[in-house]
Amino acid sequence: MIAPSLLAADFARLGAEAEAVQDADWLHVDVMDYHYVPNLTIGLPVVESLRRATSLPLDCHLMIDDPDRWAVSYAEAGATNVTFHVEAAADAVATARAVRAAGSMAGLAVDRDTPVEPYLDLLTEFDTLLVMTIKAGFGGQRFLPEMLEKVRTARRHMNAGHLRLFLEVDGGIADDTIAEAAEAGADVFVAGTAVFGADNPAAAVAALRARAHTVMA
Ligand code: DX5
Ligand code: ZN
């Protein structure tokens, strides 16, 4: 699945930008709070408005402190998936259960400097694992191929345990990096700059999907 990230879109025209990628699978919404990451983006009121403005499933990526307090509100706002960072959560399992009880999928994110192994046993409580392929906080950074070792580790664990999760990669995903991420075992690809920085975002989504399929087929 391809999940264009609105972080690279025109924030004054979010509805139209969502419309431009309506053939995508999910719409990735980066929520940043100036604290967990040193950047500030959008919050709950914008997600509530987006829910009314597009029929695309909303993939909310919370890069915020205290997700235990806030994650459920994003589920209640109509997110299809609410991902929060394991580094920021006080009780990741309780928060995942609350998100699921509110009707959303729950996602666990691991940032660049966080290993994945200590959290593999939590994955039965989640629907999505998001492996950052950059340091969370800003779009337009260079893809870090060494992060794919975490993707491979998680994919092996999921296969061995017959876990049915989405394995999502986020950061620097573009035509020249998506194939190696797919090969490593990712199946959801977030792309900001590669989609909204393109002249034709819809064509960029189609090209990314085709490129990923060449290795996943
Ligand atoms: C950054 C965000 C990403 C960002 C990726 O912390 O989580 O979703 O939009 O941007 P690109 O695709 O430009 O690396
Ligand atoms: Zn993101």
Side-chain angles (χ1 to χ4, degrees), residues 68 71-72 75 82 84 91-107 121-122 124-127:
D68 309 82
V72 166
V82 180
F84 56 88
D91 189 340
V93 168
T95 298
R97 288 179 181 171
V99 164
R100 282 173 154 185
S104 170
M105 295 194 288
D121 287 344
L122 304 188
T124 52
E125 302 280 346
F126 288 87
D127 305 283

Side-chain angles (χ1 to χ4, degrees), residues 5 7 28 30 32 61 63 134 136-140 170-172 190-193:
S5 168
L7 185 62
H28 187 81
D30 289 301
M32 306 188 190
H61 177 194
M63 284 159 278
I134 54 169
F138 297 90
D170 184 2
V190 177
T193 309

Side-chain angles (χ1 to χ4, degrees), residues 141-185:
Q141 300 180 64
R142 192 179 64 81
F143 176 77
L144 300 171
E146 60 272 29
M147 296 295 117
L148 295 181
E149 203 45 51
K150 290 191 244 185
V151 174
R152 288 185 199 99
T153 298
R155 176 53 70 193
R156 273 196 303 272
H157 178 83
M158 285 158 53
N159 286 349
H162 305 289
L163 302 182
R164 294 179 54 83
L165 272 84
F166 294 109
L167 182 35
E168 188 169 8
V169 282
D170 184 2
I173 298 296
D175 280 336
D176 59 342
T177 56
I178 193 167
E180 50 186 311
E183 241 157 31

Side-chain angles (χ1 to χ4, degrees), residues 30-48:
D30 289 301
V31 175
M32 306 188 190
D33 69 348
Y34 238 1
H35 290 270
Y36 176 67
V37 288
N39 195 4
L40 180 67
T41 55
I42 63 183
L44 202 47
V46 178
V47 171
E48 288 166 346

